[in-house]
């Protein structure tokens, strides 16, 4: 009998330390990716003012709505009040002008002026669960204060066939400032 041949298992293939990836290599790879992304983000925010809301000119919408009813316009508001939307919509119930604002504290407020009957307009804008919570008087008019949807307050003024609402998540004091500026 012949002696049995001894078979040896092949040695597992291993990378040398130089051929493998180290933690340092991973960190350098991430750094190469993170630095340009951070530079682009800083450029977007600082140079391009990327965090500022886009503003629009409400004049065309105000002019269009003025053909249907007398439009109240803010006068004397700071430049920190930015108009972000302005639309006019005609429905079977009437004509509605909507002007959206970002206030100086970055809250939102919307001025709604409409010939739609108040019985229809107010529940649609304030919510069905809106409750009257008080009144606010300016030099020109008295506004009814309503609690609206969660986190919203509304100021409502009705005159003849026109209803004016100011509704938003801004503080009541800020909404009152907008109401007092309407002429």
């Amino acid at each position: 009998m012949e002696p049995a041949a001894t078979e040896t298992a092949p040695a597992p293939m291993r990378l040398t330390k130089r051929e493998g990836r180290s933690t340092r290599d991973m960190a350098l790879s991430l750094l190469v990716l993170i630095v340009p992304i951070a530079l682009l983000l800083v450029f977007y925010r600082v140079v391009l003012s990327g965090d500022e809301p886009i503003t629009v000119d409400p004049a065309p919408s105000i002019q269009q709505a003025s053909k249907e009813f007398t439009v109240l316009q803010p006068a004397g508001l700071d430049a920190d009040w930015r108009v972000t939307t302005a639309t006019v919509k005609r429905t079977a119930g009437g004509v509605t002008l909507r002007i959206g604002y970002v206030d100086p504290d970055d809250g939102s407020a919307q001025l709604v002026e409409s010939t739609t009957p108040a019985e229809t307009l107010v529940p649609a804008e304030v919510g069905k669960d809106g409750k009257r919570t008080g009144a606010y008087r300016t030099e020109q008019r008295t506004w009814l204060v309503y609690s609206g949807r969660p986190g919203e307050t509304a100021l409502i003024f009705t005159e003849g066939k026109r209803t004016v609402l100011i509704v938003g998540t801004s503080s009541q004091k800020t909404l009152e400032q907008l109401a007092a500026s309407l002429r």
Side-chain angles (χ1 to χ4, degrees), residues 8-178:
T8 58
M13 298 287 286
R14 289 199 169 153
L15 297 175
T16 64
K17 185 172 184 176
R18 218 154 203 248
E19 295 172 323
R21 305 270 191 292
S22 69
T23 307
R24 180 179 171 270
D25 293 336
M26 295 285 275
L28 287 175
S29 298
L30 285 173
L31 188 63
V32 167
L33 293 172
I34 290 175
V35 168
I37 291 171
L39 289 174
L40 285 172
L41 184 62
V42 168
F43 178 77
Y44 174 74
R45 287 187 165 185
V46 175
V47 177
L48 300 178
S49 300
D51 290 340
E52 293 296 317
I54 297 172
T55 58
V56 299
D57 180 14
S61 296
I62 290 171
Q63 185 179 16
Q64 185 179 356
S66 294
K67 294 176 185 175
E68 303 294 329
F69 57 87
T70 304
V71 174
L72 295 176
Q73 297 181 47
L77 289 177
D78 296 339
D80 292 340
W81 284 85
R82 294 155 295 192
V83 177
T84 56
T85 61
T87 61
V88 175
K89 185 176 181 183
R90 182 182 305 277
T91 61
V95 176
T96 302
L97 168 67
R98 294 176 188 281
I99 301 176
Y101 294 92
V102 173
D103 69 30
D105 299 324
D106 290 329
S108 65
Q110 187 175 61
L111 171 63
V112 180
E113 300 183 45
S114 182
T115 59
T116 302
E119 306 81 41
T120 305
L121 183 67
V122 171
E125 298 296 328
V126 176
K128 294 177 182 173
D129 296 331
K131 302 271 188 254
R132 183 174 171 193
T133 60
Y136 169 69
R137 183 179 300 274
T138 65
E139 292 177 15
Q140 297 82 16
R141 58 195 61 87
T142 299
W143 297 79
L144 301 177
V145 179
Y146 275 72
S147 64
R149 294 177 186 92
E152 288 186 347
T153 303
L155 304 177
I156 302 169
F157 169 72
T158 303
E159 176 181 68
K161 293 186 177 184
R162 177 185 65 177
T163 302
V164 181
L165 288 97
I166 298 174
V167 63
T169 58
S170 298
S171 69
Q172 183 173 334
K173 183 179 178 182
T174 303
L175 297 177
E176 289 172 357
Q177 182 182 1
L178 178 57

Side-chain angles (χ1 to χ4, degrees), residues 1-8:
M1 285 200 123
E2 291 183 28
T6 344
E7 290 185 26
T8 58

